[in-house]
C-alpha cells in the first residue's frame, strides 16, 4: 500500500456545546487535570505551532501582557504546543530575558504551557491539521465555560497571529449573553445595544411590534434590540 492509498485517519475534535475533552498533562506550572481543575472558571485553551518561533513569541508576549485583564473576567489561559517541557521553559526564559514586542518587554509567562510531545491533547482537540502541518499544531482557540463546556472555537493558520482583543471580546460577549439572556450583534462591545431573543410566538411578535414591550426596539418582529449600558455589563461580568 502506498502512502496515497492509505485510509485518511479519522480526526476527532470537540464541537461547540460539547464537554471539553478531559486530559492530564505536564505544564510549565506543574501537572494539570483538565478541565476538572478549572471548573468554576472560564478558560481559553489555545495551541501554537512551536516554541522559538517569531509569531508564537509575539502571541505569548501579548497574551501574558493581557493575563490580568482576562483574569478580571474570571478567565484563565492554558497554552499548548507539540514541544517538551524543557523546550517550553527555555523559550519562556528567552522571551523574558531578550524579546520585546510592541513596547512589551521583560514579560514573564505565568500561565501553564502544556508539554504535548505525544500529540495526545492536540489530536483530542483537533489542533493538528495535516494539510497545514503534520507535526505542528495550528493556532486553535477553545473558550470553555465554568461548567467545562466548549463555547467557542476559532482556528488560525500557522502564518497568522491571533487578535487578542477579539478573544477578550468573545469572552465578554459569552458572559454577557449568559448573564442577561441576550445575543450580541456584529462587532458588539460592552455598551452597544444587544439582541433580544427572537419572539417565540405570534403573540409576542405582535406585542413587540405594537411597541408594548418597554425598552425593546423592534425594526421587525425578528430584529429587536435593547440598550445595555457598559457599566451594567461590567457590574455583572467583571470581578471586583
Ligand atoms: C511562527 O510562530 O513564527 C511560525 C510557526 C510556524 C510556521 C510559521 C510561523
Amino acid at each position: 500500500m502506498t502512502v496515497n492509498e492509505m485510509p485518511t485517519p479519522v480526526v476527532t475534535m470537540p464541537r461547540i456545546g460539547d464537554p471539553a475533552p478531559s486530559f492530564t498533562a505536564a505544564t510549565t506550572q506543574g501537572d494539570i487535570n483538565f478541565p476538572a481543575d478549572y471548573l468554576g472558571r472560564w478558560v481559553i485553551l489555545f495551541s501554537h505551532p512551536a516554541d522559538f518561533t517569531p509569531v508564537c513569541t509575539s502571541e505569548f508576549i501579548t497574551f501574558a501582557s493581557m493575563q490580568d485583564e482576562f483574569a478580571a473576567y474570571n478567565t484563565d489561559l492554558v497554552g499548548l504546543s507539540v514541544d517538551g517541557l524543557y523546550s517550553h521553559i527555555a523559550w519562556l526564559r528567552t522571551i523574558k530575558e531578550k524579546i520585546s514586542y510592541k513596547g512589551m518587554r521583560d514579560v514573564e509567562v505565568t500561565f501553564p504551557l502544556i508539554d504535548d510531545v505525544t500529540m495526545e491533547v492536540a489530536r483530542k482537540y483537533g489542533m493538528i491539521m495535516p494539510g497545514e502541518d503534520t507535526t505542528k499544531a495550528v493556532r486553535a482557540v477553545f473558550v470553555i465555560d465554568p461548567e467545562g463546556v466548549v463555547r467557542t472555537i476559532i482556528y488560525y493558520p500557522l502564518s497568522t497571529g491571533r487578535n487578542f482583543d477579539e478573544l477578550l471580546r468573545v469572552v465578554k460577549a459569552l458572559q454577557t449573553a449568559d448573564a442577561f439572556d441576550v445575543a450580541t450583534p456584529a462587532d458588539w462591545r460592552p455598551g452597544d445595544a444587544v439582541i433580544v431573543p427572537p419572539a417565540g410566538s405570534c403573540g409576542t411578535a405582535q406585542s413587540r411590534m405594537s411597541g408594548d414591550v418597554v425598552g425593546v426596539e423592534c425594526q421587525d418582529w425578528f430584529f429587536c434590540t435593547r440598550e445595555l449600558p457598559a457599566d451594567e455589563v461590567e457590574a455583572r461580568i467583571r470581578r471586583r
Side-chain angles (χ1 to χ4, degrees), residues 48-50 52-57 59 133 136 139 158-159:
H48 71 102
F52 293 101
T53 51
V55 177
C56 300
T57 298
E59 290 193 314
D133 197 293
K136 291 181 174 68
R139 302 180 197 281
L158 300 184
S159 60

Side-chain angles (χ1 to χ4, degrees), residues 89-103:
I89 292 168
W91 179 46
L92 299 185
R93 286 173 61 88
T94 307
I95 288 176
K96 178 165 166 51
E97 283 162 18
K98 293 199 181 142
I99 314 287
S100 65
Y101 177 66
K102 287 195 170 174

Side-chain angles (χ1 to χ4, degrees), residues 21-27 30-39 114:
S22 56
F23 61 86
T24 55
T27 84
D31 293 349
I32 60 170
N33 182 7
F34 195 90
D37 290 348
Y38 292 88
L39 293 180
I114 294 170

Side-chain angles (χ1 to χ4, degrees), residues 6-240:
M6 283 198 220
T8 312
V10 174
V11 176
T12 62
M13 61 174 287
R15 291 166 297 191
I16 291 175
D18 286 352
S22 56
F23 61 86
T24 55
T27 84
T28 49
Q29 301 292 321
D31 293 349
I32 60 170
N33 182 7
F34 195 90
D37 290 348
Y38 292 88
L39 293 180
R41 309 207 292 283
W42 290 77
V43 192
I44 296 182
L45 172 68
F46 68 100
S47 57
H48 71 102
D51 297 345
F52 293 101
T53 51
V55 177
C56 300
T57 298
S58 69
E59 290 193 314
F60 266 65
I61 290 174
T62 308
F63 235 157
S65 299
M66 292 176 70
Q67 190 178 351
D68 288 349
E69 187 65 358
F70 279 100
Y73 294 91
N74 194 27
T75 302
D76 288 347
L77 310 175
V78 178
L80 172 150
S81 76
V82 181
D83 290 292
L85 206 49
Y86 296 146
S87 167
H88 286 342
I89 292 168
W91 179 46
L92 299 185
R93 286 173 61 88
T94 307
I95 288 176
K96 178 165 166 51
E97 283 162 18
K98 293 199 181 142
I99 314 287
S100 65
Y101 177 66
K102 287 195 170 174
M104 297 173 273
R105 56 177 49 83
D106 193 26
V107 174
E108 186 159 4
V109 174
T110 58
F111 56 80
L113 176 50
I114 294 170
D115 166 342
D116 195 34
V117 279
T118 62
M119 294 196 202
E120 186 192 327
V121 181
R123 289 208 174 100
K124 238 177 205 182
Y125 275 81
M127 293 165 168
I128 303 290
M129 303 228 164
E132 182 81 332
D133 197 293
T134 52
T135 56
K136 291 181 174 68
V138 294
R139 302 180 197 281
V141 179
F142 292 85
V143 183
I144 295 162
D145 75 13
E147 278 79 48
V149 174
V150 175
R151 297 289 298 275
T152 298
I153 302 173
I154 308 173
Y155 280 96
Y156 295 72
L158 300 184
S159 60
T160 307
R162 283 163 273 223
N163 181 317
F164 292 89
D165 290 333
E166 168 61 3
L167 302 187
L168 184 57
R169 191 192 74 88
V170 167
V171 166
K172 291 182 188 179
L174 289 167
Q175 294 182 356
T176 299
D178 286 2
F180 294 94
D181 189 23
V182 294
T184 54
D187 293 333
W188 175 88
R189 290 188 178 274
D192 293 344
V194 292
I195 304 282
V196 177
S201 70
C202 293
T204 309
Q206 176 64 34
S207 63
R208 282 188 184 173
M209 285 312 289
S210 58
D212 290 350
V213 187
V214 178
V216 175
E217 188 188 316
C218 295
Q219 296 180 41
D220 201 339
W221 68 270
F222 71 93
F223 195 96
C224 300
T225 58
R226 76 173 174 92
E227 295 304 317
L228 184 52
D231 55 358
E232 235 179 276
V233 170
E234 297 292 335
R236 286 288 288 280
I237 69 173
R238 192 178 169 93
R239 282 174 155 182
R240 262 141 270 266

